[in-house]
Amino acid sequence: WLGESHYVRGQYKQAASAFLKGSQSYARSAKAPDSLLKLGMSLDRLGQRDAACSSFGELSSKYPSAPSQIKDRANRERQRIGCG
């Protein structure tokens, strides 16, 4: 929730850090796919498009059975920022 708190306040660097830590520390958690999604969104807001695209790609490959709303949002974000 720390990452969410930073994200909604526009503190994208702190949000990215929290989401990265969460996705690494709790890789088997049900929240891990959401953490990667939000990590990518935070990185995009920081102007780090390539890193954001990598996050979205990792979500797809690492969590193929993630909830459809998370996968759909990641796909929309990938299209929006022009991931290859």
Side-chain angles (χ1 to χ4, degrees):
W1 298 113
L2 181 61
E4 292 284 345
S5 174
H6 287 302
Y7 187 86
V8 298
R9 292 184 290 170
Q11 299 169 339
Y12 301 120
K13 186 174 183 177
Q14 295 91 332
S17 178
F19 290 128
L20 177 62
K21 183 177 179 182
S23 69
Q24 291 175 337
S25 298
Y26 306 101
R28 295 181 185 206
S29 163
K31 288 288 284 176
D34 188 53
S35 289
L36 278 175
L37 168 64
K38 298 289 177 60
L39 173 59
M41 292 168 60
S42 298
L43 291 168
D44 173 53
R45 297 323 184 268
L46 290 168
Q48 298 180 23
R49 186 179 143 268
D50 290 343
C53 291
S54 292
S55 256
F56 298 136
E58 185 177 346
L59 190 161
S60 298
S61 64
K62 199 170 184 180
Y63 302 102
S65 59
S68 61
Q69 67 269 21
I70 292 175
K71 292 192 294 187
D72 291 346
R73 178 72 188 267
N75 286 332
R76 285 194 307 273
E77 290 293 323
R78 285 175 60 96
Q79 289 175 349
R80 183 182 66 75
I81 66 174
C83 296

